[in-house]
Amino acid sequence: MSESEKIDILLLGAGGREHALLCKLAESPRAGKLWAAPGNGGILAEATLAEGLDQDAPAAVADFATSHGIDLVVIGPEAPLAEGVGDAVRAAGIACFGPNGDAAQMEGSKLFAKQVMERAGVPTACYQSFTEAAPAEAYVRELDGPCVVKADGLAAGKGVIVAQTTEQALAGVRECFSGTFGEAGKTVVVEEMLKGPECSLLALTDGKTVLPLASAQDHKRALEGDLGPNTGGMGVYSPVPFVTPEEHEAMVDIERRVVAQLAADGITYSGCLYGGFMLTKDGPKVLEFNARFGDPETQVVLPRMDCDLVDVFLRCDNGTLDGARVRWEDDFAVSVVLTSAGYPGYYEKGKVITGIEDAERLPGVTVYHAGTKLVGGELVTNGGRVLNVTAVADTFQRAREQAYKAAELIDFEGKTLRHDIGARALRGREAWEV
């Protein structure tokens, strides 16, 4: 296809990440008709529903794309990647953004990723893997202190136990092997706990060229002060103001080495490689890799990215990413997540949402839909994380203030949010040195 030809796009996913992707894709002069499955209230206000399509079914996605003249399939979440949707779409001769199933093991198997990192010689936490509880418990006792217990496979973001004590770690091991996480918990990885501030760095790649995006920092804990249970993310900002140029280059180098190692192993990684890092006193070390855009990191990275995203995604697929044109605005983005009361535990759905239009009238504000649904013409809550209120401004402080000002204009019964997103970063790096 020519570089000016309009192309129709199918986006898979239903969260805030996918809404941000859709908004950026729609800005492209090459964007034709936009389809989505399963979508949400915000996505389906701008795209056509691929009705009845199962995003996790490779053959069904490939058949839909073929029969509807889709030119590019963009895969948002991890599950379709692990199921091999990318393989099926490419086998049908259709461009796809997102790695094939073999490369998606970088997220689908903690052990696989660790072994790739070992071969690539990149810094990460020391670890051991286990298929039985007794030796895992013995290793935990040997560590005798804080450690991290991980179910090897995909567990909907719930298979990681950050244990401050031996007792918590032992409980985590038992939880994994009890069947709580299904197949994902049949192998368990136990690793040392790294110390320092966390940083996410997403990179686009075609398997040869690695194009780093802007740094970001998520806030995983449910409660202010980084307390409470882990969530999918309660807020995020970009870029991370205290990351040094040397640390940034070290993270980029790690991602390049991993992509090169996969290529040496016979695996072409095409799509987004999400690197989760801990900025230790010895330099950045890898916490985890994900095989797709982060959520909610995407909601602050893409608004600052100046590019034709359709062109960039096509280049990731066809091996010409070295010719991509991308620049970054000299600004900051802060996003505050509005959640349903009770999240990440039990929460009710169907609460009417108001005030989004008022929030988006504020300069630099975009509200990305995550857990929303249109019912009888009304927008209602349909998930734990409901909305991502993102603000872009010329300073970190202004972006943060604008995001919270916008968040206050939105209302639904049980609306919950953290009021300290980015507050620690304002205090500088010493805020993590405890």
Side-chain angles (χ1 to χ4, degrees):
M1 64 185 75
S2 71
E3 291 191 4
S4 60
E5 185 179 349
K6 294 272 189 181
I7 67 170
D8 293 347
I9 301 167
L10 170 62
L11 173 67
L12 302 182
R17 164 185 50 217
E18 286 76 32
H19 193 196
L21 284 166
L22 182 82
C23 291
K24 197 68 175 180
L25 290 166
E27 293 176 3
S28 169
R30 299 191 63 185
K33 185 171 182 178
L34 300 173
W35 295 83
N40 60 36
I43 292 171
L44 297 179
E46 305 169 54
T48 300
L49 173 64
E51 196 165 356
L53 179 60
D54 180 357
Q55 67 172 9
D56 298 335
V61 173
D63 288 347
F64 181 92
T66 300
S67 63
H68 288 77
I70 302 297
D71 304 295
L72 171 65
V73 176
V74 177
I75 304 174
E78 61 273 20
L81 297 171
E83 292 295 329
V85 170
D87 303 74
V89 170
R90 290 187 174 99
I94 297 168
C96 182
F97 180 80
N100 282 347
D102 54 359
Q105 292 179 89
M106 287 300 294
E107 180 170 4
S109 170
K110 308 292 191 303
L111 179 57
F112 175 88
K114 283 288 193 181
Q115 292 171 337
V116 170
M117 285 186 267
E118 281 185 318
R119 292 195 295 276
V122 302
T124 184
C126 297
Y127 79 100
Q128 287 191 26
S129 64
F130 305 91
T131 56
E132 295 180 353
E137 291 175 7
Y139 182 60
V140 165
R141 291 190 177 93
E142 180 184 326
L143 291 175
D144 191 28
C147 63
V148 182
V149 179
K150 299 179 177 180
D152 177 62
L154 295 177
K158 297 177 182 178
V160 177
I161 298 95
V162 180
Q164 298 296 332
T165 66
T166 298
E167 290 70 26
Q168 290 175 349
L170 290 171
V173 168
R174 294 174 191 129
E175 183 179 20
C176 288
F177 283 114
S178 72
T180 299
F181 306 120
E183 291 292 318
K186 287 196 169 181
T187 296
V188 173
V189 173
V190 180
E191 61 183 36
E192 68 172 327
M193 184 181 292
L194 301 175
K195 294 183 179 180
E198 289 189 36
C199 178
S200 301
L201 184 67
L202 283 64
L204 302 181
T205 181
D206 58 5
K208 301 172 295 182
T209 298
V210 174
L211 177 65
L213 304 185
S215 61
Q217 189 182 64
D218 189 9
H219 297 61
K220 288 291 187 187
R221 298 285 187 170
L223 305 177
E224 293 176 17
D226 291 321
L227 302 174
N230 271 330
T231 72
M234 297 295 292
V236 62
Y237 58 82
S238 175
V240 182
F242 51 78
V243 171
T244 68
E246 293 77 17
E247 286 173 326
H248 187 272
E249 184 52 40
M251 291 187 286
V252 174
D253 179 65
I254 286 170
E255 294 183 328
R256 288 182 179 135
R257 287 158 68 183
V258 165
V259 170
Q261 183 60 52
L262 286 166
D265 294 341
I267 297 174
T268 298
Y269 193 108
S270 171
C272 181
L273 180 65
Y274 170 122
F277 296 90
M278 187 72 84
L279 305 179
T280 76
K281 61 181 178 59
D282 299 317
K285 294 187 178 183
V286 179
L287 290 171
E288 65 175 353
F289 280 112
N290 291 330
R292 35 71 189 179
F293 273 92
D295 188 347
E297 289 92 345
T298 307
Q299 292 88 299
V300 289
V301 170
L302 289 188
R304 301 184 53 245
M305 188 177 175
D306 184 1
C307 72
D308 180 340
L309 198 63
V310 172
D311 176 73
V312 172
F313 280 5
L314 289 172
R315 288 179 178 277
C316 286
D317 182 71
N318 64 28
T320 61
L321 188 60
D322 58 348
R325 294 185 295 273
V326 176
R327 63 179 294 271
W328 295 94
E329 301 295 345
D330 187 18
D331 53 19
F332 292 84
V334 175
S335 187
V336 176
V337 178
L338 306 185
T339 66
S340 298
Y343 174 80
Y346 171 79
Y347 53 83
E348 295 181 351
K349 300 179 181 181
K351 309 300 183 182
V352 176
I353 303 168
T354 60
I356 291 178
E357 297 81 0
D358 294 333
E360 291 195 313
R361 290 191 188 100
L362 296 177
V365 171
T366 303
V367 180
Y368 296 114
H369 293 235
T372 71
K373 184 178 182 180
L374 284 168
V375 177
E378 281 191 317
L379 186 71
V380 300
T381 64
N382 192 48
R385 291 190 294 172
V386 179
L387 298 167
N388 307 134
V389 184
T390 300
V392 178
D394 59 348
T395 69
F396 187 96
Q397 181 66 39
R398 287 194 187 96
R400 187 172 182 273
E401 290 172 353
Q402 198 77 330
Y404 276 109
K405 185 177 179 181
E408 290 306 312
L409 294 173
I410 299 171
D411 190 46
F412 55 87
E413 183 184 335
K415 181 183 83 170
T416 306
L417 69 157
R418 277 182 57 168
H419 292 86
D420 62 345
I421 302 302
R424 207 173 182 185
L426 289 172
R427 304 200 305 271
R429 189 155 194 148
E430 60 275 9
W432 278 267
E433 295 173 357
V434 294

